[in-house]
Amino acid sequence: MRGVLDTSTLIDLVDLDARALPDEPLITAITLAELSVGPLVARSDAERSARQAHLQQAEADFEPLPFDAAAARAFGAVASSLRRAGRKPAARAYDALIAATAIANGLPLFTRNPEDFSGIDGLDLRPVPRPGAAPAGEA
């Protein structure tokens, strides 16, 4: 199964249980954009270096799904869903754009932060347990 990893999932990818992830993980161009901010706003050289390494690894490992015309149309529905749910689309702009890309490509979205995507109609959301947590259905 193919599926889109959101930024939170990509960041912790090496620590996550592979059973909770798609067989063919994908990322979006929006995730690369979000990751590219990290080194620029880091508070220390060590943090900057780690964030830059993470960005470069993502660029090497993935060919991102583009934010194209279909994603732009899907974004309209995502923003509308969020407003109906009483949420402001601009507050979680990266997440809304990532969700729109997943919807436009007919793919599930895997995230460690499902609350970031609550209220988005038509999104096949797949929560991923945090590192160290038992997978869904296990105790």
Side-chain angles (χ1 to χ4, degrees):
M1 172 203 337
R2 297 173 61 195
V4 175
L5 307 180
D6 80 330
T7 309
S8 69
T9 307
L10 179 63
I11 287 170
D12 284 338
L13 189 58
V14 298
D15 297 322
L16 299 174
D17 186 338
R19 296 173 294 176
L21 299 171
D23 296 326
E24 185 180 344
L26 305 166
I27 66 168
T28 71
I30 305 306
T31 294
L32 283 183
E34 189 172 8
L35 288 174
S36 73
V37 173
L40 301 174
V41 299
R43 294 186 177 156
S44 70
D45 288 341
E47 183 181 9
R48 184 174 297 104
S49 178
R51 289 180 177 193
Q52 185 65 37
H54 206 89
L55 170 61
Q56 289 173 321
Q57 190 67 56
E59 290 173 332
D61 290 347
F62 295 94
E63 183 63 38
L65 295 170
F67 187 82
D68 57 12
R73 285 189 296 278
F75 179 76
V78 167
S80 177
S81 292
L82 290 171
R83 287 176 196 219
R84 278 193 309 277
R87 300 181 68 204
K88 295 181 180 178
R92 305 283 327 168
Y94 292 123
D95 294 333
L97 294 166
I98 291 167
T101 305
I103 291 168
N105 285 278
L107 297 168
L109 178 64
F110 291 76
T111 181
R112 288 190 312 94
N113 300 316
E115 63 280 357
D116 291 348
F117 298 93
S118 67
I120 298 177
D121 297 334
L123 179 61
D124 181 359
L125 193 61
R126 309 284 177 95
V128 176
R130 294 189 177 278
E138 293 183 18

